[in-house]
Amino acid sequence: MLKLLIVEDEEIICETLARLTDWSSLGIELIGTCQDGVDAYHMILDECPDIVMTDINMPGISGLELIERIQRTALDTRFLILSGYAEFDYAKRAMKSGVKHYLLKPCDEEQLRSALQEMVSECLQLKQEKNLSPVTIQDAQIQHVMLQNLIREGIRLPNVTTKLFETNAPYLELYEQPFQYCAIYYLEKNFINSAMEQLRRYWTNTSQNICFHAIYTVNVLLLIFPDYTRDYSSLDDFLSTLHFPDQKVSIVYERKTFPNLEKLLLMLLPKLKRYDTFYFVEEDHLIPNSNYDLIFSDVSLITQKLLQEHSPGDDRSIIEIEEELHNILLSVGDKDFLIQLASQLLISLSIETVSGDIKTISQTLSRLHNEDNLTNICNITMNEIYQITDTSSNGKYSPFIQKIINYVDDHISEENMTLKGISENILYMNASYVSRIFVKEVGQTFSSYVTEHRIEKAKEILSGTSVEQIQNVATLVGCGNNPYYFSKIFKKVTGMTPTIYARRFGTSPHN
């Protein structure tokens, strides 16, 4: 579901808009309403809505300034302007900045739905196009690694519980993004590469840049990918007519839509448990996954011991436990199974210590696939484990939350800093998950935390001996060339304007 925020300073109009239509029928979730431009700005930074419906004239900062400020960030938020006739010139200014959608007040449900349907299509198209960017391609590789590990864990559990999904939520969109599931039955193993090649060619020819996951069981090829469009009729036609001259039986095809990845996996994992071996399809080769329950059980137990300073009934040091683990890895004579074990170990340890360094883990696993010497694979794996266990944190915050706090301290003058940007480009984590954990551990939203730190920095500057203009102070603390916005949030936090604060505690700035 796409997320929508309504920004309107008149309470009655705001409530009317919120109740005007059935949002879910448009594939939209209404995440909230705001009656103030400053509050809306902070909520956009925290919630990252796909669509914002905003008025022009509002207290705090105007709808135009709200749009311009958000457009300077890395967010992909689209805006729908609501305006009276007298404000049309303002609307034209916003449209020159790239805003395509504009409605005159009052608007009816039909006008609103028509505009939003067009915006939904634009948002879905944008999500699909972003799959080609280098950052998104790298993120897709991490998603592959994390999903494969989750599936491996899931098939070994007697019962799949919410904990399995919770531990993987930082790196996978498990709950918010709809997913498609395609099953191609009676596909013989020797035709898999040809089928995958045809599928990639089809998606390239139809300009559908889809990052998909492929799994092969006995004569069944499964495709899993995010749902970014409303029409899959062309794909259905292509896959249902897929055939090979030497194939003994005809292909049978089906497709299902799931509201999110968690629901899809709850259906899929029991099916995969029926097989002793299944395969992840990667480029032109198959990665086997087998159920060696006893070894996996031993490795899982050792992993838990590594995560605990004092394991009940086990007085051995971490070094001794790591040595036992190393010996188990050295005893494995099959490369594919050894890499499977290494993947489980590295990802489980990284998640449980919340190290946030999944990018490095993904790169290490790619390196292991290219290594043929089993001893080298063991040594590379153990070296990575030493790094994780040595750097695990027992501080006030989870390591990845501490990374965010450090980033804010180091980049307080960065006007367009967002939690989404930090999550995706620095932590390589799911922004929604990071936002929830940030609030849980820090006790406030990211935008509130940043605002407080901007004000503390401003107070420090205003209390100094040098004379600073309000505009310069605003720039130094990341409020940009906007002394009015800076003054408003400064007064909201301190109870006084920057000028009064400077006169009372330091050198008065010139306005």
Side-chain angles (χ1 to χ4, degrees), residues 185-312:
Y185 298 102
Y186 310 122
L187 177 66
E188 296 173 19
K189 192 174 181 179
N190 53 313
F191 296 121
I192 293 175
N193 288 343
S194 178
M196 294 297 292
E197 183 181 345
Q198 290 185 48
L199 179 61
R200 293 189 189 97
R201 192 183 307 125
Y202 163 81
W203 269 328
T204 299
N205 292 339
T206 56
S207 300
Q208 298 183 59
N209 309 310
I210 297 176
C211 296
F212 62 93
H213 311 274
I215 299 171
Y216 185 74
T217 61
V218 179
N219 291 339
V220 182
L221 177 63
L222 306 174
L223 305 175
I224 301 170
F225 53 90
D227 185 354
Y228 289 142
T229 185
R230 300 287 183 196
D231 184 10
Y232 288 98
S233 57
S234 174
L235 176 65
D236 292 340
D237 290 342
F238 168 74
L239 290 177
S240 60
T241 57
L242 196 65
H243 72 281
F244 307 94
D246 298 326
Q247 172 92 11
K248 296 176 183 177
V249 295
S250 299
I251 296 292
V252 175
Y253 162 77
E254 70 170 347
R255 178 178 56 82
K256 294 181 181 179
T257 303
F258 287 83
N260 54 50
L261 182 56
E262 181 196 41
K263 298 291 186 186
L264 190 158
L265 292 173
L266 286 172
M267 176 279 299
L268 178 61
L269 289 173
K271 293 180 180 292
L272 294 180
K273 283 184 179 183
R274 301 171 189 166
Y275 302 98
D276 292 332
T277 301
F278 65 91
Y279 304 85
F280 292 124
V281 184
E282 293 287 349
E283 297 299 331
D284 59 349
H285 63 281
L286 301 178
I287 301 175
N289 294 269
S290 304
N291 271 321
Y292 297 91
D293 291 335
L294 184 58
I295 295 179
F296 273 121
S297 178
D298 289 343
V299 169
S300 296
L301 184 61
I302 292 173
T303 303
Q304 292 306 310
K305 290 177 181 178
L306 287 173
L307 294 168
Q308 300 172 13
E309 289 188 24
H310 302 287
S311 300

Side-chain angles (χ1 to χ4, degrees), residues 74 135 138 359 419-429:
V135 172
Q138 183 180 57
K359 176 185 175 183
L419 185 61
K420 187 174 189 290
I422 297 172
S423 301
E424 295 180 350
N425 301 323
I426 296 175
L427 301 178
Y428 296 91
M429 296 176 71

